[in-house]
Amino acid sequence: MNKKSKVFVTFCMDTEGPCNDPGNNELLKDWNTVDIAMDKLFNRDFRSHMVDSFGGHFKIGWFFLNWTGFITNPRGRSFGYHKVRDHYINRWGDLIKNYGDEHCWHYHHPPASGVGNEWSSEWSSSEEYKNIISRQIIERKWFPTCFRAGGTIMGSELSNWVDKWFPFDYSNRAPLKFNEMDWSDGLSEWRPYRPNPTRFKYEGNGKRYIARCMDLKTGLYETSQKDIIQAFEEASMNGTSIVSVFDHDYRDIKNRIITLMENISSISKQYPNVDWEYSAPSNAIIKSLNMKGENIYIET
């Protein structure tokens, strides 16, 4: 009997805590409202709303951000080392572990202005990444496996740095182009690839693997049935694919995720020779590439 092809389904949560934006009522402005929204995602009925081909439940990669290295805080962010991740561990740590979710790292590079709601594409504007990584190792005994760039803003210097330290990177947002970043000439396939460390949008001899990760629903893009069909088509041809989407914890997105689950389940029926499986970010790449080794265990 021939082995079936497989689509891995990976959800990446840019985990940043509250965002108090008076101009956008959709955003959750304090921890109380964030907690209410995230409680929905830790509910067992939600996790099992639409099981995968193997009866598995929905999994999340929590890409935790440290709001440090900034001077001003115009959006009422939760400033301080470990503040966001500690909050999640204290409230949902056991569930994160029991569900097979993953602790990952999200980094917003502070700008020279120090404004806490601005992104920087200039690697020389700060060395805060050294402080964050050092403190996570020394004070929390944690070094993440998966990385996502803030705003998916990637430059050659950041790419070279990430390539030295992280095996997996979910920053590819091809083919989007926006003011801060141009992914229009990037690899827009649902497969991980080793990049050229400097020319990271192209395949090369880098050490890490980059996977494509698209917006669940933003003003720039919304993952559609067409994207999911592409993932199943690629798996049919190549054996595996990873359909990966992201959103933020400062939005109440339960219903958006349910729509994603239902679309995947519905489209899968058109591909009887392709299974689909929920997977945390690192394991999706490990399994899709048939890399040796056991599933990654994330200690909290």
Side-chain angles (χ1 to χ4, degrees), residues 148-195:
R148 260 180 60 80
T152 60
I153 300 170
M154 181 73 68
S156 59
E157 291 174 303
L158 171 57
S159 177
N160 272 289
W161 181 78
V162 173
D163 210 66
K164 294 175 182 177
W165 293 100
F166 296 90
F168 308 127
D169 177 359
Y170 275 78
S171 300
N172 178 7
R173 206 175 173 191
L176 288 191
K177 180 179 181 180
F178 46 101
N179 289 339
E180 297 84 4
M181 185 66 199
D182 182 2
W183 282 102
S184 62
D185 56 343
L187 185 70
S188 57
E189 300 173 21
W190 292 117
R191 65 177 176 88
Y193 66 97
R194 288 191 186 272

Side-chain angles (χ1 to χ4, degrees), residues 117-133:
N117 205 51
E118 292 183 358
W119 291 323
S120 176
S121 58
E122 298 296 329
W123 193 237
S124 61
S125 67
S126 174
E127 292 189 339
E128 181 59 22
Y129 55 92
K130 295 181 180 179
N131 298 330
I132 295 172
I133 289 293

Side-chain angles (χ1 to χ4, degrees), residues 193-230:
Y193 66 97
R194 288 191 186 272
N196 177 310
T198 300
R199 301 177 70 247
F200 50 88
K201 289 182 279 186
Y202 309 100
E203 295 187 78
N205 61 352
K207 296 180 180 179
R208 76 189 191 276
Y209 283 96
I210 299 182
R212 183 181 184 224
C213 188
M214 300 304 294
D215 317 35
L216 179 59
K217 183 179 180 179
T218 68
L220 288 173
Y221 194 84
E222 180 176 358
T223 297
S224 66
Q225 291 188 1
K226 181 179 178 181
D227 293 305
I228 298 168
I229 290 170
Q230 178 188 341

Side-chain angles (χ1 to χ4, degrees), residues 35-43 46-47 252 254:
D35 289 348
I36 292 171
M38 294 303 101
D39 278 341
K40 298 175 184 179
L41 305 190
F42 284 103
N43 180 276
F46 163 77
R47 292 290 184 127
D252 189 344
K254 173 188 171 183

